[in-house]
Amino acid sequence: MKKWLTAVSAGSVLVLGACGGGEESGDGEETQDTLEVAVIPAQSSGEMESGVQSLEDTLNESLDQDVTVETYPNYNAVVEALNYGELDLAYLGPLTYVVAHEESGAEAILTQEIDGEPYYYSYIITHVDQPWESIDEMLEDSEEVDFAFGSISSTSGSLIPGLELRERGVFESEEDNEFASVRYTGSHDVTAQVVQSQDVDAGAIDSAIYNELVEEGAIDESQIKTIWESDQLYQYPWAVPEDMDEDLKADIQEAFINIEDEEILNVFGGASAFVETDHSYYEDVTRAAEDFGMLDMDAIED
């Protein structure tokens, strides 16, 4: 699979082959191209590599064509590849999905349930030694607080907590805020680590990833407390291009819904199952992104 990692330079010519479609062989019969699937890292490299290989093997068995599943370095690379027709299926965060939907008509068709629910939350966490028991108490000391977001393209690590802090009048951007400092760590696990080590005073994190880090022993739950929880957020979507054949979409949905392999489920947020979804479940994220001026790729570049 070709990874779309850089923008096309001015004046260069890019010819893109159709993914997942058919082309004629030498004897005039139509043959299927490889179905190209992209995911973003969600676990340690060893676990992710093993789970992705199992997913590729399962989809090759379930679908009537070859399937390649590859891990991309970040959400933005996946959005670019989806927008430019390089992918047939992509695993995205809600924010990056709605940007892809806005820019190229990408369509959410699947998500995952965790403990039987297709929801997660944004948390603001702090060290147990900090005196605050709520976000209100923390913001009374905002000028002394070093705050960490995850990736700027993260829904739960940036957009939703950023919007909450904006509505409370203490945050507009990394440069314009009422905190002692604001940083973007680039990932949820790093945010958890810098809060636990007290390199920062508080940070925003995905609830499902936080729970996984605790279960894995990567962070010590006894050293962390949650002082804010968002409303429900709908789980990360799997998206396809706008013009994908309806029968192929249905086949992909069926293949995922039938997956029971825990090795695969575990690398997607510790999922209990894959289920169908559609764009309507992400309209609240669309509104938040629009309100925060983040409904395009330029706004979410790391």
Side-chain angles (χ1 to χ4, degrees), residues 144-162:
E144 301 173 5
V145 174
D146 295 313
F147 194 89
F149 294 104
S151 165
I152 197 168
S153 58
S154 169
T155 308
S156 56
S158 176
L159 174 64
I160 297 302

Side-chain angles (χ1 to χ4, degrees), residues 36-86:
E36 306 282 3
V37 181
V39 301
I40 47 88
Q43 295 284 339
S44 64
S45 58
E47 292 174 318
M48 195 70 192
E49 182 179 351
S50 178
V52 165
Q53 184 60 57
S54 294
L55 176 61
E56 181 175 286
D57 294 342
T58 297
L59 293 179
N60 269 292
E61 291 175 6
S62 302
L63 298 170
D64 189 23
Q65 65 185 106
D66 291 336
V67 179
T68 299
V69 184
E70 289 200 20
T71 304
Y72 272 49
N74 55 53
Y75 289 123
N76 295 1
V78 177
V79 172
E80 289 287 355
L82 190 60
N83 286 349
Y84 281 92
E86 289 283 272

Side-chain angles (χ1 to χ4, degrees), residues 229-285:
E229 178 181 296
S230 70
D231 292 337
Q232 288 180 334
L233 301 171
Y234 212 72
Q235 273 289 350
Y236 293 28
W238 294 79
V240 298
E242 180 181 28
D243 59 355
M244 177 171 279
D245 176 78
E246 292 296 326
D247 289 338
L248 180 54
K249 281 193 287 190
D251 288 344
I252 292 171
Q253 287 173 319
E254 182 179 3
F256 270 80
I257 289 168
N258 288 333
I259 290 175
E260 297 180 347
D261 186 337
E262 289 190 4
E263 185 176 36
I264 298 172
L265 294 167
N266 284 342
V267 299
F268 297 104
S272 51
F274 292 107
V275 294
E276 291 184 24
T277 193
D278 60 57
H279 182 70
S280 65
Y281 290 100
Y282 300 95
E283 290 177 350
D284 56 342
V285 176

Side-chain angles (χ1 to χ4, degrees), residues 14 92 120 132 143 278 284:
L14 180 69
L92 300 166
Y120 73 115
W132 320 302
E143 293 182 356
D278 60 57
D284 56 342

Side-chain angles (χ1 to χ4, degrees), residues 91-227:
Y91 179 61
L92 300 166
L95 172 57
T96 40
Y97 159 66
V98 300
V99 171
H101 178 82
E102 181 76 11
E103 293 191 342
S104 66
E107 177 187 357
I109 65 167
L110 289 157
T111 190
Q112 44 280 326
E113 291 183 339
I114 296 178
D115 295 329
E117 295 288 342
Y119 305 108
Y120 73 115
Y121 304 86
S122 172
Y123 287 166
I124 291 179
I125 58 174
T126 187
H127 195 275
V128 292
D129 288 346
Q130 297 292 351
W132 320 302
E133 299 300 325
S134 69
I135 189 174
D136 296 300
E137 292 179 5
M138 181 190 75
L139 293 183
E140 290 177 3
D141 301 327
S142 63
E143 293 182 356
E144 301 173 5
V145 174
D146 295 313
F147 194 89
F149 294 104
S151 165
I152 197 168
S153 58
S154 169
T155 308
S156 56
S158 176
L159 174 64
I160 297 302
L163 190 60
E164 177 73 18
L165 294 171
R166 181 188 188 193
E167 290 174 347
R168 291 170 178 266
V170 296
F171 177 77
E172 284 292 333
S173 67
E174 187 174 7
E175 296 77 24
D176 182 8
N177 58 79
E178 300 299 321
F179 293 106
S181 70
V182 168
R183 73 172 75 169
Y184 289 87
T185 68
S187 69
H188 298 284
D189 57 337
V190 174
T191 298
Q193 290 162 8
V194 294
V195 169
Q196 180 171 298
S197 64
Q198 300 191 67
D199 289 336
V200 299
D201 301 305
I205 191 170
D206 176 314
S207 64
I209 293 177
Y210 172 80
N211 291 334
E212 281 188 88
L213 292 169
V214 169
E215 290 173 9
E216 294 168 359
I219 60 170
D220 182 355
E221 187 176 28
S222 70
Q223 298 300 302
I224 304 291
K225 58 183 172 182
T226 301
I227 60 172

